[in-house]
Amino acid sequence: MVTIQASKKKVEESQYCEKPATPNSCLCKERRRMGIIREIPVAEAAAHKVLVEELDDAIDSITGRPLTGSWVWDSALVLSRWVSTHLNFQGKSVLELGAGAGLPGLTAALLGATRVVLTDVQQLLPGLLKNVEVNGFTDKVEVKQLVWGSDDSGITESSTFDIVLMSDVFFDSEDMIGLGKTLKRVCGEATQVWAATEMRPWTIECLDQLMAQGFQVVEQETSQLSVHAAVQDSNTFFAIFQIKPTLAENSQP
């Protein structure tokens, strides 16, 4: 494991260009056709593939803009590949926050988790339900609406999980207060929280906000991370973090 300072230094040294509203590296337009189901390998084994349908017609009812959570972002690909070789999901309960299209959570179901809950805003739930059905996981994967920081989510304080997964959720530091509140509610003493992110200038601000709430943020050593196997843009810097609530034990996977 390495400290978060390593990522801070790489972000400071990079010439970062602001990312557009839609993915432009792995998910170019011709691969993001509405109604097309992608078969995504998430491990070396040939059978370890997840089916994901990406939609272009999910719109934020307030802003009128496309909901980018309808598509699989590169960080979700990176996280799915990483957990397949670093975590044991057999018999585990898994929660994905900000699931979007649900790839990391569906990967957990594929690799042996007995219960998976995919959560996001209401507009993205139909797409998540479709992806659960197309993979044949309706017996062990649930889809729930969850707004970070809200108590009205159907996930109570007694609903703690073995593993929490997040990918590309570190965009707005103001959202981290709600995210921190939710993490503290769903984490038990031995819960492991893992997050993958593309490193951007505001990513550090988000992580700093979580640390200000008492979380420990530990960057995992990613020199062995097979980014090239997951994404096409090899110049982009990704990181995997373990987020440790103050109540959680410093357990290892």
Side-chain angles (χ1 to χ4, degrees):
M1 293 182 290
V2 296
T3 67
I4 191 175
Q5 297 301 323
S7 287
K8 286 184 177 180
K9 187 172 187 297
K10 289 183 180 180
V11 171
E12 290 169 356
E13 291 175 348
S14 66
Q15 294 183 348
Y16 182 81
C17 296
E18 185 172 352
K19 201 175 186 77
T22 59
N24 64 352
S25 53
C26 179
L27 298 180
C28 49
K29 291 183 179 179
E30 59 267 25
R31 295 183 61 186
R32 198 166 40 78
R33 294 168 292 180
M34 183 172 59
I36 298 298
I37 296 178
R38 294 176 58 197
E39 187 178 77
I40 302 176
V42 295
E44 295 300 326
H48 287 166
K49 297 180 180 179
V50 171
L51 302 177
V52 174
E53 181 177 5
E54 298 169 310
L55 302 176
D56 283 342
D57 58 351
I59 303 297
D60 187 312
S61 59
I62 297 177
T63 66
R65 296 177 179 175
L67 285 168
T68 55
S70 302
W71 314 311
V72 178
W73 287 71
D74 290 343
S75 291
L77 297 169
V78 169
L79 182 61
S80 294
R81 281 298 185 98
W82 188 85
V83 299
S84 72
T85 57
H86 288 76
L87 301 186
N88 178 11
F89 290 107
Q90 292 294 325
K92 300 295 178 63
S93 61
V94 178
L95 172 69
E96 185 176 0
L97 297 176
L103 178 61
L106 293 170
T107 298
L110 179 69
L111 298 179
T114 54
R115 183 196 181 205
V116 177
V117 180
L118 307 177
T119 66
D120 215 310
V121 295
Q122 178 63 42
Q123 297 95 321
L124 294 176
L125 302 190
L128 280 171
L129 287 169
K130 286 183 180 180
N131 289 336
V132 171
E133 293 171 359
V134 76
N135 284 282
F137 292 152
T138 55
D139 59 331
K140 60 179 178 179
V141 180
E142 308 166 46
V143 172
K144 292 181 179 290
Q145 178 181 5
L146 193 158
V147 177
W148 299 339
S150 171
D151 294 326
D152 185 19
S153 64
I155 298 178
T156 65
E157 291 183 0
S158 61
S159 300
T160 57
F161 294 83
D162 297 313
I163 298 172
V164 177
L165 300 176
M166 306 182 291
S167 63
D168 241 344
V169 299
F170 303 133
F171 278 97
D172 191 336
S173 61
E174 294 184 0
D175 291 339
M176 297 302 101
I177 296 175
L179 177 59
K181 181 179 178 181
T182 293
L183 285 173
K184 290 176 181 178
R185 188 169 71 245
V186 301
C187 289
E189 292 185 352
T191 301
Q192 300 174 26
V193 182
W194 301 97
T197 185
E198 178 180 335
M199 294 303 300
R200 312 175 178 96
W202 51 84
T203 304
I204 302 302
E205 296 176 5
C206 292
L207 295 173
D208 285 343
Q209 178 56 245
L210 286 177
M211 288 188 287
Q213 296 179 62
F215 291 90
Q216 297 180 57
V217 179
V218 182
E219 184 180 352
Q220 302 303 296
E221 177 57 61
T222 54
S223 61
Q224 301 300 316
L225 182 63
S226 181
V227 174
H228 294 280
V231 302
Q232 293 179 350
D233 186 358
S234 59
N235 295 318
T236 304
F237 174 51
F238 296 90
I240 305 285
F241 293 99
Q242 184 174 15
I243 312 296
K244 300 181 179 181
T246 53
L247 56 75
E249 297 177 351
N250 295 340
S251 56
Q252 296 299 318

